[in-house]
């Protein structure tokens, strides 16, 4: 079945194109009253301009070299969001993502009947983290605020990479679904630039060998612009990588990938 994997296996990496985690700025710079609970909801998207690496289904691997147009052509549905609750220096974070992609084609093998090949790609994950703000100070002559928080918790992952083949005879399927929990740690720094603009640098690291995921890395750098009294528009650039591998009865199931590109999001403050 190597000819099948060469034509369709590369779509498996798209299961993480729009679902990688993104950091909203902490609420430290958003409200003056920190004695009460403060809440925010962020919707976001990651737009990878470049993706490279290797994807493996049923023991067959293919090199990846994709641009953003490839992802748009195959995307069926995607949603991603982040909820944060803070009181004082302590915070709770829930990060949820889902993406669904598909591809299909009919291939003629000669004068006989053709076969249909369909790829079904889905990825979902849910992160549950605690956060603690270890720095909350000012900098510069204008006494602009600066904060830094650390985060840690667990993330549930579900990755489906499946190729179905329809023939006049047997109808085999390649790949399948893998689920795993992994630890996650991270940090986030925010600088207030003026009354409306903030800058943020954030990073998170997950996996550490749990469930077959050797290491998952996300690094963001960007800005937010306050919109009205309760909103913020967020723009920046993101680097993401994953190194996942698991042995299955039909062969290795793996994704070793790096990508980068801009992100965009919007936050609503609920206090």
């Amino acid at each position: 079945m190597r000819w099948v994997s060469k034509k369709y296996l590369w779509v498996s990496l798209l299961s993480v194109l729009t679902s990688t985690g993104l950091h909203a700025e902490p609420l430290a710079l958003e409200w003056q009253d920190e004695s009460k609970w403060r809440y925010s909801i962020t919707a976001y998207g990651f737009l990878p301009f470049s993706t490279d690496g290797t994807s493996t289904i049923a023991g067959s691997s293919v090199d990846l070299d994709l641009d953003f147009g490839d992802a748009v052509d195959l995307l069926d549905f995607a949603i991603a969001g982040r909820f944060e609750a803070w009181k004082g220096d302590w915070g709770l974070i829930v990060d949820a993502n889902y993406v669904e992609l598909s591809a299909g084609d009919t291939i003629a093998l000669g004068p006989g009947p053709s076969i249909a090949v369909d790829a079904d790609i889905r990825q979902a994950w849910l992160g549950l983290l605690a956060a603690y703000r270890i720095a909350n100070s000012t900098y510069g002559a204008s006494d602009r605020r600066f904060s830094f928080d650390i985060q840690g918790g667990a993330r549930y992952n579900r990755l489906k990479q499946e190729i179905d083949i329809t023939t006049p005879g047997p109808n085999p399927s390649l790949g399948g679904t893998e689920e795993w929990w992994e630890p996650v740690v991270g940090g986030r720094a925010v600088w207030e630039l003026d009354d409306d603009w903030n800058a943020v640098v954030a990073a998170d690291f997950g996996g550490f060998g749990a469930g077959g995921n050797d290491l998952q890395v996300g690094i963001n750098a960007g800005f937010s612009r306050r919109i009205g009294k309760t909103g913020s528009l967020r723009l920046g650039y993101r680097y993401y990588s994953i190194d996942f591998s698991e042995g299955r009865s039909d062969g290795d199931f793996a994704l070793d990938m790096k990508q980068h590109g801009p992100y965009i999001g919007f936050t609503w403050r609920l206090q």
Side-chain angles (χ1 to χ4, degrees):
M1 293 305 195
R2 185 169 295 274
W3 59 271
V4 174
S5 65
K6 288 295 183 181
K7 187 173 181 63
Y8 292 98
L9 184 57
W10 62 270
V11 305
S12 63
L13 81 107
L14 295 174
S15 60
V16 292
L17 292 190
T18 56
S19 63
T20 52
L22 192 66
H23 288 277
E25 284 82 346
L27 305 185
L29 303 185
E30 304 288 358
W31 289 288
Q32 298 300 316
D33 186 358
E34 298 180 5
S35 64
K36 300 179 181 179
W37 281 101
R38 295 101 65 201
Y39 308 96
S40 73
I41 296 176
T42 301
Y44 55 83
F46 172 42
L47 313 175
F49 283 173
S50 175
T51 300
D52 63 85
T54 303
S55 184
T56 303
I57 294 178
S60 295
S61 299
V62 62
D63 292 333
L64 306 171
D65 184 10
L66 307 179
D67 58 27
F68 179 63
D70 298 323
V72 172
D73 290 342
L74 295 169
L75 180 64
D76 289 336
F77 177 77
I79 187 170
R82 185 178 181 97
F83 171 79
E84 298 199 19
W86 286 80
K87 186 175 183 181
D89 292 332
W90 289 94
L92 299 173
I93 300 170
V94 179
D95 207 357
N97 302 263
Y98 177 82
V99 62
E100 182 176 330
L101 306 106
S102 64
D105 201 1
T106 300
I107 302 174
L109 299 179
S114 301
I115 67 171
V117 181
D118 296 291
D120 183 9
I121 311 301
R122 305 182 188 191
Q123 196 231 7
W125 57 267
L126 178 68
L128 305 172
L129 301 97
Y132 181 70
R133 187 174 55 194
I134 62 175
N136 184 23
S137 185
T138 60
Y139 74 97
S142 300
D143 287 332
R144 292 295 176 183
R145 295 182 67 183
F146 164 80
S147 73
F148 180 74
D149 65 272
I150 56 175
Q151 305 163 16
R155 181 162 54 202
Y156 164 78
N157 295 266
R158 189 176 191 271
L159 174 62
K160 180 179 182 180
Q161 300 182 130
E162 186 173 276
I163 297 174
D164 296 320
I165 306 168
T166 303
T167 72
N171 297 321
S173 293
L174 305 176
T177 301
E178 291 293 331
E179 301 177 78
W180 72 96
W181 284 89
E182 64 185 26
V184 182
V185 296
R188 178 174 51 183
V190 181
W191 296 264
E192 187 181 53
L193 303 179
D194 59 27
D195 292 341
D196 294 319
W197 286 90
N198 295 332
V200 60
V201 176
D204 63 78
F205 305 89
F208 307 105
N213 190 11
D214 286 344
L215 186 62
Q216 193 168 184
V217 177
I219 301 174
N220 307 317
F223 302 91
S224 73
R225 171 66 162 83
R226 300 190 189 202
I227 306 295
K229 295 182 178 181
T230 60
S232 293
L233 177 67
R234 308 185 185 281
L235 302 167
Y237 207 80
R238 176 172 175 81
Y239 167 86
Y240 174 79
S241 67
I242 185 173
D243 185 4
F244 175 81
S245 179
E246 188 71 18
R248 298 172 59 91
S249 60
D250 60 352
D252 288 341
F253 180 99
L255 183 62
D256 184 1
M257 181 193 67
K258 299 176 182 179
Q259 57 186 181
H260 60 85
Y263 67 79
I264 184 171
F266 194 88
T267 294
W268 294 268
R269 296 184 296 277
L270 306 179
Q271 186 188 37

